């Protein structure tokens, strides 16, 4: 089909239009690409600027979503920037660290919400958890071009370095303000008026005491009106005196009168130059000194009242030698009346009255004696005399010259004291006689080591001269004399140690000393209540000889016991060989190797074997006892479970218990524990205890075996309700074997069961205790490690 010309033209026009549209689209796309590339470079540049800026942006949208650079997550101690504002606390886990605290996040959330609603900016400071970084947050409403819809833009600044400096400066400023406030408070609280003047002498600062003293309304009023506390004196005002002190750079002090609260009072004023800053001043009210003087007079009156209560007489004379004070004891001692004291008599007249009353010593020239006593007023040191009166009264007189020219006279009646001293001398003589009659020799030493007292026997025992002891020698000199008489002179030091221990260390020590002549002395140092020390010495020569004889006899008994032990051991070995042969032949006969036996023969052979076994057991027991006493008992180291072990021992004796008509109660469980030891010998020891209980319990009786343990020990108790034993019987039961009266044969007291059991248990590191009372039964308590 052939297209018409018009159709071809239309097709050509369409193709041209399509080509033009395609070209225009390509050009437009390239233009957009270039704009997009330019915008991308601008965005990268802006992002780089944000990364390099000291602040990081945090965009908070209305729905709580946030946008921020990753660097902010590092500042907050988070792994990444969360999606929502409420997640800036790191998930709320206090233990993980990082993120804002709950209080800081709540404050930030509230501030952002307020900014989104009211467009009000805000500021706050935050410190992430577990970090020392200080962040400043500045928030405002975001530009609509940045985020339309009312989002908030928060800029976060890191000012950690500035914050540390700021904290330091704030601390220093706070300290300075505190010091200044303390100083101002101290000046303000001072009870005395204080002020500060400028270099020109004008008042700049006054305290409350100053304001109260001048009766002003306030400190500001005082400073504004220049109200002076100190009145002008000698034509100079207080300001002029202060400037003069500042010019001389020297403090100025003066006493002036001032009116305070309507009263005229004396003040001591001081002006203190403070360089170019000004002059400080203060005023001290010395009017109170008068009050102190009045207090002193009251004190003197009280003192005189107190002197009236003393037993010693006290009289005080003034510089004119007239009596100014006398207490009641002085009046009584000298027989003075109120008339004698009415006109404050002179010193000489008072002595005349005392002479008339017989209260002065009898002297040949009384006027001269009185004039000599009047010289006490001018003496340079206290004077002391003893007056003996005609009636036997003894006065001790002390005259103390006073700085004002007066005299203080003190009189003490020592009559009773001298009587007590005489009685003391009598007691001392009685004590000396008592010391000399003692059987022991004694000596008393003072803390300085000197001998104070001794008896005649002390000198006799040590061979010392009385003339030497009369010098009250020091302990070191005494030891030299004693050492020369000892068999070993260096041992004299032990005597000195006993004396020093009693006097200085206040403890009792002692010892023995052998003399060269063969005597033996026992000495003991005893502290006395008055601080001295007593050395008691006893001659124990005879008792020492008796003790030596007893020791020799005891050694002989020990040797005899050792001979007995060796004898038993040897005999045990000697018995074992033939006993083994007897038992072996009996077993052959029982087996029929020697021919058949009738029933009676079989009974005889069985009795032989039983006796051989019992005798073998006894020999083993004797051998173990001998070896244990000699310390030569060999022990195996077996692991022993206590409950099965004891149960097996009980079952071995079950037939005997039934034959005896007894009941046995075994208490314990696997918790009783285990021990280590020789199972054969330990079984023998416990078996002996159980055999004794079986033998001691009458028919119908009861035996209790109880197993227990504590933290460190295993405990086995075997008790019965038999007749029991008294102390003597129990001692015999524990004694075992003894040497006969002829010294050769060996006798058995109550068998060897208990002694052997004790030896075997103690060899295992345990202990055995036997408790028994007549009528109450017997209990054996074994403890093992």
């Amino acid at each position: 089909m052939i297209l018409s010309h018009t159709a071809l033209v239309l097709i050509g026009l369409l193709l041209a239009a399509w080509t033009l549209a395609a070209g225009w689209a390509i050009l437009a796309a390239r233009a957009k690409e270039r704009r997009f590339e330019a915008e991308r470079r601008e965005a990268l540049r802006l992002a780089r600027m944000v990364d390099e800026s000291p602040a990081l942006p945090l965009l908070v949208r209305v729905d709580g979503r946030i946008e921020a650079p990753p660097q902010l997550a590092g500042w907050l101690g988070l792994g990444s920037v969360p999606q929502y504002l409420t997640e800036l606390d790191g998930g709320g886990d206090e233990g993980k660290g990082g993120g804002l605290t709950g209080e800081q996040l709540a404050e930030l959330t509230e501030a952002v919400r307020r900014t989104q609603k009211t467009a009000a900016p805000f500021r706050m400071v935050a410190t992430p958890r577990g970090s020392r970084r200080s962040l400043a947050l500045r928030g405002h409403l975001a530009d609509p071009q940045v985020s339309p819809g009312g989002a908030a833009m928060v800029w976060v600044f890191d000012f950690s370095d500035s914050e540390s400096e700021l904290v330091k400066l704030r601390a220093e400023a706070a300290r300075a303000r505190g010091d200044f406030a303390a100083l101002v408070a101290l000046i303000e609280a001072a009870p005395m008026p204080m002020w500060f003047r400028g270099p020109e002498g004008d008042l700049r600062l006054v305290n409350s005491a100053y304001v109260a003293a001048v009766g002003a309304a306030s400190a500001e009023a005082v400073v504004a009106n220049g109200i002076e506390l100190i009145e002008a004196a000698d034509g100079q005002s207080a300001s002029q005196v202060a400037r003069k002190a500042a010019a001389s750079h020297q403090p100025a002090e003066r006493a002036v009168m001032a009116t305070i609260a309507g009263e005229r009072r004396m003040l001591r004023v001081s002006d203190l130059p403070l360089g170019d800053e000004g002059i400080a001043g203060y005023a001290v009210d010395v009017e109170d000194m008068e009050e102190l003087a009045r207090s002193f007079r009251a004190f003197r009156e009280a003192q005189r009242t107190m002197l009236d209560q003393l037993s010693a007489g006290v009289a005080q004379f003034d510089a004119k030698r007239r009596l100014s004070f006398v207490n009641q004891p002085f009046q009584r001692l000298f027989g003075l009346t109120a008339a004698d004291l009415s006109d404050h008599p002179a010193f000489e007249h008072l002595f005349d009255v005392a002479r008339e009353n017989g209260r002065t010593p009898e002297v040949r020239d009384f006027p001269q004696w009185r004039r000599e006593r009047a010289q006490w007023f001018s003496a340079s040191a206290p004077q002391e005399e003893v007056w003996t009166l005609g009636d036997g009264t003894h006065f001790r007189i002390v005259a103390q010259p006073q700085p004002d020219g007066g005299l203080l006279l003190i009189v003490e009646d020592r009559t009773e004291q001298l009587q007590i001293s005489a009685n003391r001398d009598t007691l001392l003589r009685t004590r000396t006689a008592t010391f000399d009659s003692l059987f022991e020799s004694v000596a008393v030493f003072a803390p300085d080591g000197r001998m104070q007292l001794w008896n005649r026997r002390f000198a006799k025992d040590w061979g010392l001269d009385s003339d030497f002891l009369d010098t009250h020698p020091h302990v070191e000199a005494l030891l030299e004399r004693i050492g020369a008489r000892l068999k070993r002179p260096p041992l004299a030091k032990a005597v000195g140690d006993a004396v020093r221990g009693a006097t200085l260390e206040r403890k009792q020590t002692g010892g023995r000393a052998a003399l060269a002549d063969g005597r033996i002395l026992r000495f003991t140092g005893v502290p006395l209540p008055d601080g001295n020390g007593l050395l008691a010495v006893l001659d124990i020569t005879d008792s020492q000889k008796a003790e030596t004889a007893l020791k020799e006899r005891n050694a002989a008994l020990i040797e005899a016991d050792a001979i007995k032990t060796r004898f038993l051991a040897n005999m045990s070995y000697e018995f074992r060989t033939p006993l083994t042969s007897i038992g072996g032949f009996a077993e052959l006969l029982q087996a029929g190797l020697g021919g058949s036996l009738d029933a009676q023969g079989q009974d005889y052979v069985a009795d032989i074997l039983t006796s051989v076994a019992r005798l073998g057991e006894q020999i083993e027991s004797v051998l173990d006892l001998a070896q244990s006493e000699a310390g030569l008992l060999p022990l195996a180291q077996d692991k022993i479970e206590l409950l099965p072990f004891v149960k097996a021992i009980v079952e071995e004796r079950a037939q005997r218990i039934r034959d005896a008509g007894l009941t046995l109660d075994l208490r314990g469980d696997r918790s009783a524990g285990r021990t280590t030891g020789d199972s054969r010998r330990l079984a023998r020891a416990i078996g002996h205890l159980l055999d004794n209980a079986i033998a001691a319990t009458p028919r119908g009786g009861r035996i209790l075996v109880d197993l227990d343990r504590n933290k460190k020990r295993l405990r086995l108790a075997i008790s019965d309700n038999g007749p029991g034993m008294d102390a003597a019987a129990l001692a015999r039961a524990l004694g075992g074997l003894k040497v006969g009266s002829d010294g050769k044969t060996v006798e058995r007291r109550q068998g060897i069961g208990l002694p052997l059991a004790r030896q075997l248990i103690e060899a295992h590191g345990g202990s055995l205790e036997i408790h028994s009372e007549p009528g109450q039964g017997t209990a054996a308590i074994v403890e093992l490690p």
Side-chain angles (χ1 to χ4, degrees):
M1 179 178 181
I2 301 175
L3 295 177
S4 63
H5 177 75
T6 303
L8 293 174
V9 171
L10 289 174
I11 292 171
L13 291 175
L14 289 174
L15 291 174
W18 182 83
T19 302
L20 291 174
W24 179 82
I26 292 172
L27 293 176
R30 288 182 177 178
K32 289 182 180 180
E33 183 180 2
R34 285 193 297 271
R35 287 196 303 271
F36 173 77
E37 183 65 24
E39 290 176 355
R40 188 180 66 82
R41 291 195 187 98
E42 182 65 17
L44 290 176
R45 186 177 65 84
L46 293 176
R48 187 62 179 175
M49 291 175 62
V50 169
D51 292 338
E52 295 295 330
S53 67
L56 300 179
L58 172 63
L59 181 65
V60 184
R61 302 186 183 277
V62 178
D63 59 355
R65 290 180 177 273
I66 61 174
E67 296 180 15
Q71 187 177 354
L72 181 60
W75 284 10
L76 295 176
L78 300 175
S80 62
V81 178
Q83 294 183 359
Y84 292 92
L85 180 65
T86 56
E87 297 175 351
L88 288 180
D89 60 350
D93 191 347
E94 298 286 343
K96 293 183 178 180
L100 300 179
T101 63
E103 294 79 6
Q104 294 172 351
L105 181 58
E107 181 182 356
L108 176 60
T109 303
E110 180 61 26
V112 168
R113 185 179 295 109
R114 186 170 55 253
T115 298
Q116 290 174 343
K117 290 182 178 180
T118 65
F122 68 88
R123 294 187 178 189
M124 65 173 289
V125 177
T127 299
R129 262 196 308 261
S131 172
R132 295 184 179 180
R133 188 186 299 273
S134 297
L135 303 178
L137 284 74
R138 305 289 185 267
H140 57 82
L141 192 63
D143 192 293
Q145 295 182 358
V146 175
S147 178
M153 176 64 74
V154 181
W155 290 95
V156 184
F157 298 83
D158 184 357
F159 67 107
S160 302
D161 297 336
S162 301
E163 178 68 11
S164 60
E165 271 307 306
L166 184 59
V167 169
K168 182 178 179 181
L169 292 175
R170 286 175 178 171
E172 292 178 356
R175 186 164 54 251
R177 284 195 299 270
D179 294 343
F180 179 77
L183 180 59
V184 171
L186 177 64
I187 295 174
E188 186 68 16
M192 65 185 72
M194 301 181 71
W195 60 88
F196 175 75
R197 299 179 185 274
E200 301 301 325
D202 54 319
L203 288 172
R204 297 282 185 83
L205 180 66
V206 296
N207 66 349
S208 299
Y210 190 104
V211 175
V214 299
S218 63
E220 291 77 7
V222 172
V223 173
N225 299 323
I227 302 175
E228 293 287 353
L229 172 67
I230 310 302
E231 301 172 1
D234 299 331
Q236 289 187 333
S237 65
S239 177
Q240 291 173 336
V241 175
R243 289 198 303 270
K244 186 177 179 180
S248 63
H249 302 287
Q250 293 293 331
E253 185 174 331
R254 64 194 187 281
V256 297
M257 296 297 297
T259 301
I260 299 178
E263 295 182 4
R264 296 290 290 175
R265 303 181 68 85
M266 179 67 71
L267 302 179
R268 186 172 67 249
V269 181
S270 298
D271 289 304
L272 308 174
L274 301 179
D276 297 334
E277 302 298 328
I279 308 100
Y282 64 90
V284 179
D285 189 346
V286 296
E287 193 71 23
D288 294 336
M289 296 295 292
E290 187 65 26
E291 180 64 25
L292 292 176
R294 290 192 294 270
S295 300
F296 172 73
R297 287 192 293 271
F299 171 75
R300 184 177 62 185
E301 293 300 325
Q303 186 182 40
R304 290 182 174 180
T305 303
M306 181 190 66
L307 292 176
D308 281 335
Q309 308 301 321
L310 299 178
S311 60
V314 179
Q316 190 170 5
F317 297 87
D318 57 20
K320 296 180 180 180
R321 299 187 180 184
R322 300 190 70 85
L323 183 66
S324 59
F325 169 77
V326 62
N327 68 348
Q328 295 294 331
F330 191 94
Q331 299 178 42
R332 185 177 63 254
L333 292 175
F334 281 90
L336 303 176
T337 63
D340 297 331
L341 305 174
S342 59
D343 296 331
H344 297 285
F347 179 80
E348 292 80 0
H349 177 71
L350 187 65
F351 267 56
D352 291 339
V353 175
R355 184 189 182 194
E356 293 174 1
N357 296 334
R359 312 312 290 169
T360 59
E362 295 295 336
V363 294
R364 179 176 300 178
D365 189 353
F366 178 76
Q368 177 62 28
W369 180 84
R370 184 184 58 191
R371 285 191 295 272
E372 292 174 355
R373 303 302 170 274
Q375 295 177 2
W376 288 344
F377 284 87
S378 58
S380 60
Q383 306 295 315
E384 183 174 344
E385 290 184 353
V386 176
W387 292 0
T388 303
L389 308 185
D391 60 357
T393 303
H394 295 268
F395 283 167
R396 175 175 174 264
I397 308 295
V398 178
Q400 174 69 52
Q402 299 297 300
D404 60 356
L407 181 70
L408 183 66
L409 192 63
I410 303 175
V411 182
E412 181 184 2
D413 188 351
R414 303 189 62 188
T415 306
E416 184 178 359
Q417 184 176 354
L418 292 176
Q419 291 176 352
I420 294 174
S421 178
N423 294 336
R424 176 178 175 274
D425 292 339
T426 301
L427 291 175
L428 289 176
R429 287 193 294 270
T430 303
R431 183 183 64 183
T432 301
T434 304
F435 272 24
D436 289 340
S437 63
L438 292 176
F439 179 73
E440 294 179 323
S441 59
V442 293
V444 178
F445 292 85
D448 61 357
R450 289 199 168 275
M451 179 183 289
Q452 303 295 318
L453 300 172
W454 65 92
N455 61 355
R456 288 195 298 267
R457 190 172 184 86
F458 186 86
K460 179 181 178 182
D461 284 345
W462 294 107
L464 302 174
D465 297 331
S466 298
D467 295 338
F468 170 70
L469 297 179
D470 289 339
T471 62
H472 297 276
H474 193 271
V475 65
E476 298 298 336
L478 182 67
L479 294 180
E480 293 181 3
R481 298 290 185 95
I482 291 177
R485 290 165 174 78
L486 296 179
K487 181 182 295 185
R488 298 175 60 189
L491 294 181
K493 181 178 179 297
V495 181
D497 292 341
V499 173
R500 283 185 287 271
T503 56
L504 300 180
E505 301 176 9
R506 310 300 299 162
K507 65 180 182 180
Q508 180 173 332
T509 56
R512 295 185 179 185
L515 274 64
D517 58 5
R519 290 183 297 126
I520 299 177
L521 302 180
R522 184 178 63 196
F523 57 89
T524 304
V526 181
L528 298 178
D530 59 356
N532 295 330
L534 173 70
L535 181 64
V537 184
L538 181 64
D539 190 341
I540 59 171
T541 305
D542 295 337
S543 61
Q544 188 68 23
K545 292 180 180 179
E547 180 181 354
T548 302
L550 290 175
K551 287 182 178 180
E552 292 175 353
R553 183 172 180 82
N554 184 58
L557 291 175
I558 293 174
E559 179 61 25
D561 186 68
I563 294 173
K564 176 262 299 183
T565 301
R566 292 194 296 272
F567 168 76
L568 292 177
N570 292 333
M571 291 301 297
S572 298
Y573 280 115
E574 294 295 331
F575 283 144
R576 183 179 296 174
T577 301
L579 188 63
T580 302
S581 300
I582 294 173
F585 288 125
E587 290 176 354
L588 293 176
L589 292 175
Q590 190 179 36
L593 297 180
S596 60
L597 298 176
D598 56 10
Q600 186 175 9
Q602 290 289 345
D603 292 339
Y604 289 158
V605 171
D607 290 341
I608 292 173
L609 291 175
T610 301
S611 299
V612 167
R614 185 180 300 113
L615 184 57
E617 181 70 19
Q618 291 294 329
I619 291 174
E620 290 291 335
S621 298
V622 171
L623 182 59
D624 285 347
L625 181 62
Q627 288 179 327
S628 178
E629 290 179 348
L632 302 175
L633 181 64
L635 294 176
Q637 296 297 318
D638 304 325
K639 299 294 183 179
I640 303 173
E641 284 284 349
L642 193 58
L643 179 62
F645 179 70
V646 174
K647 186 176 181 181
I649 297 174
V650 172
E651 290 175 350
E652 290 177 359
R653 290 158 177 79
Q655 186 60 42
R656 287 182 56 194
I657 294 173
R658 286 191 294 270
D659 294 344
L662 306 177
T663 59
L664 187 144
D665 187 6
L666 175 61
R667 297 179 182 177
D669 53 28
R670 292 288 181 178
S671 64
R674 65 174 60 186
T675 186
T676 301
D678 193 322
S679 58
R680 182 174 63 85
R681 289 188 169 92
L682 198 56
R684 181 177 298 161
I686 297 175
H688 280 308
L689 297 178
L690 190 57
D691 291 341
N692 285 342
I694 295 172
T697 306
R699 179 173 292 275
R702 179 172 175 268
I703 299 174
L704 174 63
V705 179
D706 186 24
L707 300 177
D708 194 6
R709 68 174 296 170
N710 55 25
K711 293 182 179 180
K712 296 182 178 180
R713 309 282 285 182
L714 305 179
R715 184 176 180 273
L716 168 65
I718 301 175
S719 58
D720 61 68
N721 58 353
M725 296 178 287
D726 57 15
L730 181 60
R732 287 194 299 271
L734 293 173
L737 301 177
K738 69 175 184 180
V739 180
S741 57
D742 58 357
K744 297 180 180 178
T745 60
V746 177
E747 299 178 358
R748 187 174 66 186
R749 291 175 176 170
Q750 297 293 330
I752 63 173
L754 288 179
L756 177 61
R758 168 169 286 179
Q759 292 285 352
L760 293 177
I761 291 171
E762 290 179 353
H764 284 79
S767 62
L768 171 63
E769 295 183 2
I770 307 294
H771 302 281
S772 182
E773 293 184 9
Q776 300 296 325
T778 303
I781 300 174
V782 178
E783 288 191 355
L784 294 170

